Amino acid sequence: MENSHSAAYAAAGVDIEAGYKGVELMKKHVARTRIPGVVSGIGGFGGLFAPDLAGMKEPVLVSGTDGVGTKLRLAQLLDRHDTIGIDCVAMCVNDIVCCGAKPLFFLDYIAIGKNEPEKAAAIVSGVAEGCVRSGCALIGGETAEHPGVMDPDDYDIAGFAVGIVDREKIIDGGKVSEGDVLIGLASSGVHSNGFSLVRKVFDIEHADLTAPMDELDGKSLGEVLLAPTKIYVKAVQALLEGGVDLHGASHITGGGFFENIPRMLPEGLGVKILPNAIPKQPIFELIQKRGNISDHDMYNTFNMGLGMVLAVPLEQGDRALELLAAAGEQDAACVGIVTRSDGGVSFDGL
């Protein structure tokens, strides 16, 4: 911008002009996410969105916020920054879709030690890709330079999503019943949880992140660990639009099975999980072996191959699997059942 240069601020470590260049580089990525309802472009003081309320009796807004955690360190070590934004979006939209909400828009916040416009734009390109995958718009954000607080190469990203659902269609777990079948949706790997343990197990600061590994089917450790979190919005929407009576949904994040699944259960109900029905992923076997970690701690920390668990009536299980397969979830499987218990999670055969 003309006349927008502060020599004093630049001497303190903040490059205003780099920020402007970053915004210009981001615009093409943001444009990919534009959907009906977007009123404003980026660069204003607020992001404007006009939701389509046609056919809704009592619309309810649903919001969720999250970050990526210490998975960021892996992106920094590999100097690859174009996927971490997908993780940020996924962690938010996968939460709100558990309520039956359709994501509308997303905003991000990036704190960075030194604002390198190309790096900031790469991060936002991932955010935009996550928004495209979840069908929502990126309508704003903030990139803040923090010299003296963060090292020049460091950054952190957080964001929040807003969605909408008709009150009568909210999924709150109240309909979950004994005998409901649990359908698991495969994860794309570790997703964005448990990385403090992962970094310790592999001594990530000194590990060879790029060498192919036999234990990972020839892939490198960095490639497998950096794989972005899978987004389940379109899969869940396929069930709702296909007439499946979705009783409950649980996003398997930090705390694994033991913390997240009970969040969708009414009092007096629990679940029995069939571990052999969960698609096996070599990365979890490698983590457990290298770290000498118990089964309990693995299922209490990681998604173990399931990023989302859904509860549906037993008689609708086959229909749900058909709809999920058509939506791209060919690995979806029945992985357990809702039981009468104290709300706990038990495993058959462990």
Side-chain angles (χ1 to χ4, degrees), residues 28-33 85-86 89 108 123-133 136 138:
K28 64 181 180 180
H29 302 301
V30 174
R32 295 180 57 220
T33 75
I86 301 174
V89 176
D108 61 24
I123 298 169
V124 172
S125 74
V127 176
E129 176 61 26
C131 289
V132 169
R133 294 184 186 186
C136 68
L138 177 58

Side-chain angles (χ1 to χ4, degrees), residues 5-187:
H5 174 74
S6 169
Y9 212 7
V14 176
D15 189 341
I16 297 175
E17 291 172 293
Y20 295 146
K21 181 179 178 182
V23 171
E24 288 301 313
L25 293 174
M26 294 172 191
K27 284 183 177 179
K28 64 181 180 180
H29 302 301
V30 174
R32 295 180 57 220
T33 75
R34 191 174 184 92
I35 61 174
V38 174
V39 175
S40 61
I42 62 170
F45 288 100
L48 306 180
F49 192 92
D52 181 3
L53 305 181
M56 302 189 78
K57 297 179 180 178
E58 192 175 356
V60 175
L61 294 178
V62 182
S63 60
T65 184
D66 211 335
V68 180
T70 62
K71 184 175 184 175
L72 281 167
R73 183 57 184 155
L74 191 70
Q76 292 163 356
L77 288 170
L78 290 168
D79 194 25
R80 182 175 178 187
H81 312 288
D82 60 346
T83 64
I84 209 74
I86 301 174
D87 291 284
C88 188
V89 176
M91 296 303 292
C92 298
V93 297
N94 284 346
D95 276 353
I96 68 173
V97 78
C98 288
C99 302
K102 177 182 179 181
L104 297 175
F105 59 83
F106 188 85
L107 286 88
D108 61 24
Y109 176 86
I110 301 169
I112 194 165
K114 178 177 175 56
N115 192 349
E116 300 173 25
E118 291 77 11
K119 179 188 285 188
I123 298 169
V124 172
S125 74
V127 176
E129 176 61 26
C131 289
V132 169
R133 294 184 186 186
S134 55
C136 68
L138 177 58
I139 63 170
E142 172 72 7
T143 303
E145 198 167 11
H146 289 177
V149 176
M150 304 175 75
D151 288 337
D153 290 336
D154 284 348
Y155 64 89
D156 196 7
I157 180 172
F160 76 90
V162 173
I164 195 167
V165 63
D166 213 344
R167 181 182 288 273
E168 64 182 15
K169 296 180 180 179
I170 291 174
I171 300 169
D172 60 6
K175 295 173 67 176
V176 175
S177 305
E178 182 180 8
D180 280 355
V181 65
L182 300 177
I183 294 178
L185 305 186
S187 70

Side-chain angles (χ1 to χ4, degrees), residues 131-261:
C131 289
V132 169
R133 294 184 186 186
S134 55
C136 68
L138 177 58
I139 63 170
E142 172 72 7
T143 303
E145 198 167 11
H146 289 177
V149 176
M150 304 175 75
D151 288 337
D153 290 336
D154 284 348
Y155 64 89
D156 196 7
I157 180 172
F160 76 90
V162 173
I164 195 167
V165 63
D166 213 344
R167 181 182 288 273
E168 64 182 15
K169 296 180 180 179
I170 291 174
I171 300 169
D172 60 6
K175 295 173 67 176
V176 175
S177 305
E178 182 180 8
D180 280 355
V181 65
L182 300 177
I183 294 178
L185 305 186
S187 70
S188 56
V190 182
H191 282 181
S192 300
N193 301 103
F195 269 85
S196 293
L197 179 55
V198 167
R199 290 185 300 113
K200 178 182 178 182
V201 166
F202 293 112
D203 188 15
I204 215 75
E205 297 292 325
H206 306 100
D208 187 341
L209 298 174
T210 60
M213 298 182 65
D214 291 339
E215 300 98 321
L216 299 177
D217 299 328
K219 297 180 180 179
S220 69
L221 183 62
E223 177 186 3
V224 171
L225 291 178
L226 197 60
T229 304
K230 194 171 181 180
I231 293 175
Y232 299 102
V233 171
K234 293 179 180 178
V236 174
Q237 288 177 340
L239 292 184
L240 297 175
E241 294 169 3
V244 171
D245 191 9
L246 184 55
H247 286 176
S250 176
H251 182 201
I252 309 301
T253 59
F257 288 61
F258 291 103
E259 178 182 327
N260 290 292
I261 293 179

